[in-house]
Amino acid sequence: NGEAEFSLEQPPALPQLEEELSEQDERQAQQDEAFETKLQVIFCSRTHSQLAQVLKEITRLPKGSVPEDLSVVTLGARQNLCVNDSVKARAQGGGHLNDLCKKACERSKEVG
């Protein structure tokens, strides 16, 4: 007859693959639960000095107005946060990006 047969049924899952997916789902659920009960405040800034100022202000707050289990982490790197496309394009690595960024900042201050 020459007609091809096909089925809409899914093939049986491999036990090993099914187990791996189940473990991944469980780990993700545990991570999700860990963050559900935590207060998270995220500050974004273009400069480390602005982030430092926020941290300084947090430490000045009265103890009763800040949750006891508050933990603060500062994350920042020019490699991840650089907004100057021409500087990023010329950079040949993280250290080089820092140098180029500093030079670009100095030039912009000179120009005004």
Side-chain angles (χ1 to χ4, degrees):
N1 172 340
E3 291 182 23
E5 285 189 34
F6 67 93
S7 171
L8 296 176
E9 294 179 28
Q10 291 190 359
L14 299 172
Q16 182 180 6
L17 179 61
E18 197 170 272
E19 184 178 313
E20 287 176 17
L21 292 174
S22 176
E23 288 174 8
Q24 288 175 356
D25 290 342
E26 186 176 325
R27 281 193 301 267
Q28 184 63 48
Q30 289 173 346
Q31 290 174 352
D32 291 346
E33 284 178 31
F35 287 106
E36 282 180 14
T37 60
K38 300 255 183 197
L39 171 66
Q40 294 184 30
V41 180
I42 300 171
F43 292 96
C44 298
S45 172
R46 290 183 62 196
T47 66
H48 288 280
S49 61
Q50 290 172 333
L51 293 173
Q53 181 65 33
V54 168
L55 294 177
K56 182 179 175 184
E57 295 301 321
I58 289 172
T59 60
R60 292 179 59 204
L61 292 171
K63 288 193 185 247
S65 64
V66 178
E68 284 183 26
D69 61 346
L70 176 69
S71 59
V72 179
V73 177
T74 303
L75 302 173
R78 285 186 180 96
Q79 191 170 2
N80 297 327
L81 304 174
C82 180
V83 296
N84 188 324
D85 292 332
S86 64
V87 169
K88 285 194 305 188
R90 292 184 7 219
Q92 298 171 356
H96 191 227
L97 178 64
N98 285 339
D99 293 339
L100 290 174
C101 183
K102 287 177 186 177
K103 288 178 185 177
C105 289
E106 288 170 6
R107 287 188 195 138
S108 69
K109 286 179 185 176
E110 291 171 1
V111 173

